[in-house]
Amino acid sequence: MDPEDILGQLGGYGKFQVLVYLALGLVNMRGSWHVFITMFTGWTPPHHCTPAANHTLNQSLPMEDTDSGGRDWSSCVMYERPGSEKELPSNNTVQCQYGWTYLWEDEGGTSIVSDVSTRHKL
């Protein structure tokens, strides 16, 4: 005897079965949002170290190769002693000392990465 035969003998699908199916579907759907939300909020926006006061990016940040084959300002390190117009920067690098500058397409952008890094010095 198949499950379909048993269900047929019991009277088939009724209002109760549909109600249970919908209730369980709503519970399961609500529980899956925490899994999928990181796809929308967990991306790392393009960024670079914020340069020292009164210094340009060129004086404060080294250039790095990007995954796309180009070059861009470093997002993790900066020169220990920024250069000036008369002298070159030191070759020693340190972690970003003044935070990060995020390159949003719109000024209202936000992400888990930018929220955590601006509230807590990483």
Side-chain angles (χ1 to χ4, degrees), residues 49-57 59-61 78-79 81-84 97-99:
C49 295
T50 301
N54 300 325
H55 288 88
T56 64
L57 289 172
Q59 296 169 335
S60 300
L61 305 178
M78 61 188 302
Y79 290 126
R81 182 178 48 81
S84 65
Q97 302 293 310
Y98 308 106

mmCIF file of all heavy atoms in Angstrom, residues 49-57 59-61 78-79 81-84 97-99:
data_model
loop_
_atom_site.group_PDB
_atom_site.id
_atom_site.type_symbol
_atom_site.label_atom_id
_atom_site.label_comp_id
_atom_site.label_asym_id
_atom_site.label_seq_id
_atom_site.Cartn_x
_atom_site.Cartn_y
_atom_site.Cartn_z
ATOM 1 N N CYS A 49 43.098 53.311 2.838
ATOM 2 C CA CYS A 49 43.433 53.963 4.098
ATOM 3 C C CYS A 49 43.225 55.466 3.965
ATOM 4 O O CYS A 49 43.471 56.045 2.914
ATOM 5 C CB CYS A 49 44.891 53.706 4.468
ATOM 6 S SG CYS A 49 45.277 51.990 4.806
ATOM 7 N N THR A 50 42.783 56.091 5.042
ATOM 8 C CA THR A 50 42.670 57.542 5.052
ATOM 9 C C THR A 50 44.073 58.113 5.231
ATOM 10 O O THR A 50 44.787 57.707 6.147
ATOM 11 C CB THR A 50 41.754 58.008 6.192
ATOM 12 O OG1 THR A 50 40.468 57.415 6.002
ATOM 13 C CG2 THR A 50 41.627 59.518 6.224
ATOM 14 N N PRO A 51 44.512 59.021 4.381
ATOM 15 C CA PRO A 51 45.881 59.538 4.501
ATOM 16 C C PRO A 51 46.047 60.425 5.734
ATOM 17 O O PRO A 51 45.081 60.909 6.313
ATOM 18 C CB PRO A 51 46.071 60.352 3.216
ATOM 19 C CG PRO A 51 44.699 60.672 2.760
ATOM 20 C CD PRO A 51 43.803 59.587 3.246
ATOM 21 N N ALA A 52 47.298 60.618 6.121
ATOM 22 C CA ALA A 52 47.612 61.499 7.241
ATOM 23 C C ALA A 52 47.166 62.922 6.903
ATOM 24 O O ALA A 52 47.040 63.295 5.742
ATOM 25 C CB ALA A 52 49.114 61.469 7.521
ATOM 26 N N ALA A 53 46.927 63.718 7.939
ATOM 27 C CA ALA A 53 46.472 65.099 7.741
ATOM 28 C C ALA A 53 47.493 65.868 6.908
ATOM 29 O O ALA A 53 48.701 65.713 7.060
ATOM 30 C CB ALA A 53 46.280 65.779 9.092
ATOM 31 N N ASN A 54 46.996 66.688 6.000
ATOM 32 C CA ASN A 54 47.817 67.537 5.125
ATOM 33 C C ASN A 54 48.734 66.740 4.204
ATOM 34 O O ASN A 54 49.775 67.237 3.794
ATOM 35 C CB ASN A 54 48.639 68.539 5.945
ATOM 36 C CG ASN A 54 47.755 69.453 6.753
ATOM 37 O OD1 ASN A 54 46.675 69.832 6.321
ATOM 38 N ND2 ASN A 54 48.200 69.783 7.952
ATOM 39 N N HIS A 55 48.376 65.501 3.915
ATOM 40 C CA HIS A 55 49.138 64.683 2.975
ATOM 41 C C HIS A 55 48.191 64.138 1.915
ATOM 42 O O HIS A 55 47.026 63.882 2.179
ATOM 43 C CB HIS A 55 49.845 63.522 3.684
ATOM 44 C CG HIS A 55 50.999 63.959 4.517
ATOM 45 N ND1 HIS A 55 50.866 64.332 5.827
ATOM 46 C CD2 HIS A 55 52.316 64.112 4.204
ATOM 47 C CE1 HIS A 55 52.041 64.680 6.314
ATOM 48 N NE2 HIS A 55 52.936 64.566 5.344
ATOM 49 N N THR A 56 48.713 63.913 0.730
ATOM 50 C CA THR A 56 47.916 63.355 -0.356
ATOM 51 C C THR A 56 47.975 61.833 -0.306
ATOM 52 O O THR A 56 48.789 61.257 0.414
ATOM 53 C CB THR A 56 48.432 63.841 -1.719
ATOM 54 O OG1 THR A 56 49.755 63.331 -1.896
ATOM 55 C CG2 THR A 56 48.419 65.356 -1.806
ATOM 56 N N LEU A 57 47.130 61.196 -1.091
ATOM 57 C CA LEU A 57 47.182 59.733 -1.180
ATOM 58 C C LEU A 57 48.536 59.272 -1.687
ATOM 59 O O LEU A 57 49.085 58.283 -1.219
ATOM 60 C CB LEU A 57 46.075 59.230 -2.117
ATOM 61 C CG LEU A 57 44.645 59.338 -1.617
ATOM 62 C CD1 LEU A 57 43.682 58.974 -2.732
ATOM 63 C CD2 LEU A 57 44.434 58.442 -0.433
ATOM 64 N N GLN A 59 51.413 60.574 -1.239
ATOM 65 C CA GLN A 59 52.448 60.701 -0.221
ATOM 66 C C GLN A 59 52.273 59.708 0.921
ATOM 67 O O GLN A 59 53.230 59.389 1.603
ATOM 68 C CB GLN A 59 52.438 62.114 0.367
ATOM 69 C CG GLN A 59 52.790 63.188 -0.626
ATOM 70 C CD GLN A 59 52.503 64.572 -0.081
ATOM 71 O OE1 GLN A 59 51.658 64.748 0.787
ATOM 72 N NE2 GLN A 59 53.210 65.563 -0.608
ATOM 73 N N SER A 60 51.053 59.221 1.139
ATOM 74 C CA SER A 60 50.762 58.420 2.318
ATOM 75 C C SER A 60 50.559 56.933 2.063
ATOM 76 O O SER A 60 50.776 56.126 2.950
ATOM 77 C CB SER A 60 49.498 58.939 3.014
ATOM 78 O OG SER A 60 49.654 60.254 3.424
ATOM 79 N N LEU A 61 50.125 56.572 0.857
ATOM 80 C CA LEU A 61 49.729 55.182 0.611
ATOM 81 C C LEU A 61 50.510 54.555 -0.529
ATOM 82 O O LEU A 61 50.695 55.164 -1.573
ATOM 83 C CB LEU A 61 48.239 55.112 0.258
ATOM 84 C CG LEU A 61 47.269 55.725 1.258
ATOM 85 C CD1 LEU A 61 45.863 55.619 0.721
ATOM 86 C CD2 LEU A 61 47.389 55.064 2.597
ATOM 87 N N MET A 78 49.752 51.727 5.157
ATOM 88 C CA MET A 78 50.162 53.070 4.744
ATOM 89 C C MET A 78 51.630 53.242 5.120
ATOM 90 O O MET A 78 52.185 52.451 5.880
ATOM 91 C CB MET A 78 49.293 54.129 5.429
ATOM 92 C CG MET A 78 49.358 54.132 6.931
ATOM 93 S SD MET A 78 48.160 55.217 7.721
ATOM 94 C CE MET A 78 48.561 56.775 7.020
ATOM 95 N N TYR A 79 52.268 54.266 4.554
ATOM 96 C CA TYR A 79 53.665 54.509 4.890
ATOM 97 C C TYR A 79 53.781 54.955 6.346
ATOM 98 O O TYR A 79 52.956 55.710 6.849
ATOM 99 C CB TYR A 79 54.263 55.583 3.981
ATOM 100 C CG TYR A 79 54.441 55.131 2.550
ATOM 101 C CD1 TYR A 79 53.899 55.854 1.502
ATOM 102 C CD2 TYR A 79 55.152 53.981 2.256
ATOM 103 C CE1 TYR A 79 54.058 55.447 0.188
ATOM 104 C CE2 TYR A 79 55.311 53.560 0.947
ATOM 105 C CZ TYR A 79 54.770 54.294 -0.073
ATOM 106 O OH TYR A 79 54.919 53.881 -1.367
ATOM 107 N N ARG A 81 56.084 56.865 7.648
ATOM 108 C CA ARG A 81 56.372 58.303 7.660
ATOM 109 C C ARG A 81 56.022 58.827 6.271
ATOM 110 O O ARG A 81 56.722 58.585 5.300
ATOM 111 C CB ARG A 81 57.857 58.544 7.954
ATOM 112 C CG ARG A 81 58.249 60.012 8.046
ATOM 113 C CD ARG A 81 59.725 60.179 8.381
ATOM 114 N NE ARG A 81 60.618 59.371 7.575
ATOM 115 C CZ ARG A 81 61.034 59.679 6.346
ATOM 116 N NH1 ARG A 81 60.635 60.773 5.767
ATOM 117 N NH2 ARG A 81 61.867 58.889 5.693
ATOM 118 N N PRO A 82 54.889 59.560 6.160
ATOM 119 C CA PRO A 82 54.489 60.054 4.835
ATOM 120 C C PRO A 82 55.537 60.996 4.244
ATOM 121 O O PRO A 82 56.258 61.674 4.971
ATOM 122 C CB PRO A 82 53.192 60.808 5.109
ATOM 123 C CG PRO A 82 52.732 60.350 6.440
ATOM 124 C CD PRO A 82 53.957 59.941 7.193
ATOM 125 N N GLY A 83 55.597 61.024 2.944
ATOM 126 C CA GLY A 83 56.534 61.915 2.269
ATOM 127 C C GLY A 83 55.985 63.322 2.167
ATOM 128 O O GLY A 83 54.882 63.628 2.605
ATOM 129 N N SER A 84 56.769 64.181 1.616
ATOM 130 C CA SER A 84 56.333 65.553 1.354
ATOM 131 C C SER A 84 56.759 65.892 -0.064
ATOM 132 O O SER A 84 57.237 65.042 -0.800
ATOM 133 C CB SER A 84 56.964 66.511 2.374
ATOM 134 O OG SER A 84 58.362 66.539 2.212
ATOM 135 N N GLN A 97 46.403 53.904 10.120
ATOM 136 C CA GLN A 97 46.389 54.609 11.400
ATOM 137 C C GLN A 97 45.192 55.540 11.561
ATOM 138 O O GLN A 97 44.818 55.874 12.675
ATOM 139 C CB GLN A 97 47.674 55.442 11.539
ATOM 140 C CG GLN A 97 48.949 54.635 11.457
ATOM 141 C CD GLN A 97 49.101 53.693 12.639
ATOM 142 O OE1 GLN A 97 48.967 54.115 13.781
ATOM 143 N NE2 GLN A 97 49.345 52.432 12.354
ATOM 144 N N TYR A 98 44.594 55.980 10.470
ATOM 145 C CA TYR A 98 43.549 57.002 10.535
ATOM 146 C C TYR A 98 42.208 56.506 10.012
ATOM 147 O O TYR A 98 41.359 57.304 9.638
ATOM 148 C CB TYR A 98 43.994 58.242 9.753
ATOM 149 C CG TYR A 98 45.355 58.721 10.166
ATOM 150 C CD1 TYR A 98 46.460 58.531 9.347
ATOM 151 C CD2 TYR A 98 45.547 59.331 11.396
ATOM 152 C CE1 TYR A 98 47.715 58.952 9.731
ATOM 153 C CE2 TYR A 98 46.805 59.757 11.792
ATOM 154 C CZ TYR A 98 47.881 59.554 10.950
ATOM 155 O OH TYR A 98 49.123 59.963 11.352
ATOM 156 N N GLY A 99 42.028 55.206 9.968
ATOM 157 C CA GLY A 99 40.764 54.647 9.488
ATOM 158 C C GLY A 99 40.765 54.447 7.984
ATOM 159 O O GLY A 99 41.819 54.417 7.343
#
